[in-house]
Amino acid sequence: MSEMNIASTTGLDVGGGVHRISTEAGQDDLDDDRATIEASHLQDTQGDTRIRWVYLMLGAATLLSWNAMINANSFFMSRLAGSPLRISFSSYLSSVFTASNVVTLGHAIVTSKQSSPSRRAFWATALTSAIVTILFLTTFIHPSPAPFFYFIMISAFCLSGCASYLSNSVFAGAALFGAPYMQSVMSGQAAVAVAVSSVQVVSSAISVWGTTPLTLGISDIDPDGKAEEKSARIFFGISALYMIATLLAYKWLASLQVYTTTMGALEDNLKTRVVSNEADERQPLLPAALPNAVEGNQIFRIFQTNFIYNFAVGFVFTVTLAVYPAITVTIKPTNTNTHPLLFSAVHFLVFSSGDLLGRHMCSFPKLIIWSARRVLALSLLRTLFIPMFLLCNVEHSLPVAPFISSDLLYMLLMCALGVSNGYVSTLCMLGAPSLEHNKRLRGRQEDIDVASTVAAFCLIVGLAVGGFASFGVRAVICDCNPFAS
């Protein structure tokens, strides 16, 4: 309520004299107050549209590198033709990317109070743009398989690190702004997957136009790799341009007064730390370590407090990464008229679209489940997806007829995996830092950003565990050493 409204309703003018307020004037002021409250409530529930769009772009940027890498799977494998590393490439890629995520995000969380979130977000976005541009340039060269394999692993490790520091800053900021902005981040993460997968489907459809499935035999890539090369060139180029656009959008956001005010607590903490460090130079070394110990205790306390949410979000992605994409890319169409390359591209799009739908469902208040135990139950229930995908047309070491022999049913299963992945993970990310619905936080405002980043860290741990679990699932399928076959 503005100062003018307060003065009017209390009967005081600027000079301090008392005057009479008519019934009509009082009613008008009451209506104005109600309109102001309704507008404020609408702002709280929906947020600033411009800022939400920037956070949607930032959310997309945090997972753009991962989605670009897995959707370029066919291109990478075409460059590895004839190498024994080709078959297990997807599992290696998932494991390296997610393992790097765990290490770098852990460091980002522990040191989050010692660095500027604005600076971290800026440099992480800039470095991602540079690395994706380099990947775009690799589509013009043809190195030997072994050096190319290690180059991709190094690129995945670096991209993962950039994504970790970026997501640490983005989730902390979104949590401070409120639930609508957090939902925008989660939707952005899913939207980028749909965008990249759509480009992959279109480019794959163009590349197989006029060919038949028999052209490639049992392989899922073009013999000369030209189709995969063109496809990768398109979406790596688009990805680089998108990251540059996101960098410019973030610079605009950081220049706003509302951003400076909202993120002030985190930025001011850095300034306080700098002043404290200067003072510590004249003090014994032992006291200087105390702030880190306090921050570590806070992180551990919040991890325990939100354990149900943290475990649930981690397990969601453990199940997903155990089969997608390492196992699902080996599933072939049962319809001989369906081209394997196009089939693989469509399956990425179906999952991504389902994931986006699941996250968008959380924008409707009636569909949000705030109970941590119910969310955990949904997360555990997703374990059933692992045996269900093994019943599809997977490449076995022995000729085994698939139990699920319908390509349509398989795609519906992929959609269900995506929808549940997006829906349950978003429920976890919304519930963990919510002071209103998560009573475990006990109303501690200072715990919001930490609760969000800890949940994001557990999400990454789940990805890493799922990536390594895919080796075990592959071992069951091929009855072999999954690291070499």
Side-chain angles (χ1 to χ4, degrees):
M1 188 181 297
S2 66
E3 293 182 5
M4 182 178 296
N5 287 333
I6 293 175
S8 299
T9 54
T10 56
L12 300 176
D13 60 14
V14 177
V18 180
H19 64 276
R20 183 179 178 184
I21 303 177
S22 66
T23 305
E24 294 181 357
Q27 184 63 41
D28 290 341
D29 287 340
L30 183 59
D31 291 340
D32 289 342
D33 290 344
R34 289 176 177 173
T36 301
I37 294 174
E38 290 176 358
S40 177
H41 177 70
L42 183 63
Q43 177 73 11
D44 291 340
T45 57
Q46 296 185 355
D48 188 307
T49 303
R50 299 174 305 165
I51 298 178
R52 286 196 64 178
W53 271 106
V54 176
Y55 268 107
L56 185 141
M57 293 180 68
L58 289 169
T62 61
L63 284 187
L64 182 141
S65 54
W66 164 249
N67 284 283
M69 295 294 275
I70 64 172
N71 278 273
N73 186 77
S74 296
F75 165 69
F76 295 144
M77 293 181 70
S78 69
R79 288 288 197 263
L80 295 174
S83 171
L85 296 170
R86 178 182 176 276
I87 297 177
S88 299
F89 174 80
S90 296
S91 291
Y92 276 113
L93 180 63
S94 299
S95 299
V96 169
F97 196 100
T98 54
S100 172
N101 245 171
V102 171
V103 175
T104 54
L105 186 58
H107 179 266
I109 292 175
V110 172
T111 60
S112 60
K113 302 294 185 181
Q114 306 170 29
S115 63
S116 166
S118 300
R119 198 177 306 162
R120 273 190 171 179
F122 175 83
W123 285 111
T125 306
L127 289 174
T128 300
S129 303
I131 297 173
V132 173
T133 300
I134 294 174
L135 288 171
F136 166 74
L137 297 177
T138 62
T139 61
F140 295 94
I141 60 177
H142 296 77
S144 56
F148 183 77
F149 173 84
Y150 291 111
F151 167 75
I152 296 301
M153 293 300 118
I154 294 173
S155 298
F157 185 91
C158 294
L159 283 173
S160 178
C162 291
S164 295
Y165 290 106
L166 178 60
S167 65
N168 172 255
S169 299
V170 170
F171 276 110
L176 291 176
F177 268 99
Y181 303 92
M182 181 65 75
Q183 198 275 329
S184 293
V185 172
M186 298 297 289
S187 294
Q189 289 184 328
V192 68
V194 174
V196 173
S197 299
S198 298
V199 173
Q200 177 74 350
V201 168
V202 172
S203 59
S204 298
I206 294 174
S207 66
V208 302
W209 187 269
T211 65
T212 64
L214 295 178
T215 303
L216 303 184
I218 62 172
S219 177
D220 59 347
I221 62 173
D222 197 45
D224 59 5
K226 294 297 182 181
E228 290 75 22
E229 181 180 279
K230 293 178 181 177
S231 176
R233 187 174 300 158
I234 291 172
F235 64 73
F236 276 138
I238 293 176
S239 297
L241 293 175
Y242 178 83
M243 290 304 302
I244 294 174
T246 301
L247 183 63
L248 296 175
Y250 182 73
K251 285 181 66 66
W252 170 82
L253 174 63
S255 67
L256 298 179
Q257 181 63 39
V258 64
Y259 181 86
T260 304
T261 303
T262 304
M263 299 294 288
L266 298 181
E267 298 287 353
D268 290 344
N269 185 78
L270 174 63
K271 295 178 182 178
T272 303
R273 176 59 61 87
V274 172
V275 174
S276 176
N277 287 342
E278 292 177 352
D280 287 340
E281 292 178 359
R282 299 184 296 272
Q283 301 294 332
L285 295 178
L286 183 58
L290 293 180
N292 285 336
V294 173
E295 292 164 9
N297 291 336
Q298 181 189 23
I299 292 172
F300 185 70
R301 171 175 59 79
I302 294 176
F303 172 78
Q304 288 183 310
T305 299
N306 278 347
F307 180 78
I308 297 179
Y309 280 120
N310 295 333
F311 179 82
V313 72
F315 194 75
V316 165
F317 286 93
T318 294
V319 171
T320 299
L321 265 289
V323 292
Y324 175 86
I327 306 304
T328 58
V329 294
T330 68
I331 297 177
K332 304 303 178 186
T334 56
N335 186 343
T336 56
N337 293 322
T338 303
H339 203 290
L341 179 61
L342 185 59
F343 183 81
S344 178
V346 170
H347 110 283
F348 279 115
L349 179 59
V350 169
F351 174 86
S352 302
S353 299
D355 189 41
L356 176 60
L357 175 61
R359 297 179 190 227
H360 182 66
M361 288 168 59
C362 292
S363 63
F364 300 97
K366 291 184 178 180
L367 296 180
I368 297 180
I369 300 174
W370 295 108
S371 170
R373 296 187 182 280
R374 292 182 181 179
V375 173
L376 176 62
L378 292 176
S379 178
L380 295 175
L381 193 61
R382 297 183 74 252
T383 308
L384 296 174
F385 280 115
I386 297 178
M388 292 177 70
F389 276 106
L390 295 182
L391 296 176
C392 296
N393 193 27
V394 183
E395 289 183 346
H396 289 277
S397 57
L398 299 175
V400 179
F403 183 82
I404 300 178
S405 58
S406 170
D407 292 338
L408 176 60
L409 187 57
Y410 165 70
M411 289 299 176
L412 290 176
L413 189 60
M414 282 299 308
C415 184
L417 180 72
V419 171
S420 61
N421 183 85
Y423 180 61
V424 181
S425 64
T426 304
L427 290 178
C428 296
M429 296 304 298
L430 290 178
S434 175
L435 291 181
E436 180 181 359
H437 300 283
N438 184 5
K439 303 305 180 183
R440 297 172 178 82
L441 293 181
R442 298 180 180 178
R444 296 188 181 95
Q445 183 75 22
E446 66 275 12
D447 288 347
I448 292 179
D449 61 312
V450 180
S452 177
T453 52
V454 168
F457 176 73
C458 292
L459 184 156
I460 299 302
V461 171
L463 287 171
V465 174
F468 284 105
S470 68
F471 282 106
V473 178
R474 181 177 292 279
V476 173
I477 295 173
C478 67
D479 191 23
C480 61
N481 179 2
F483 297 98
S485 302

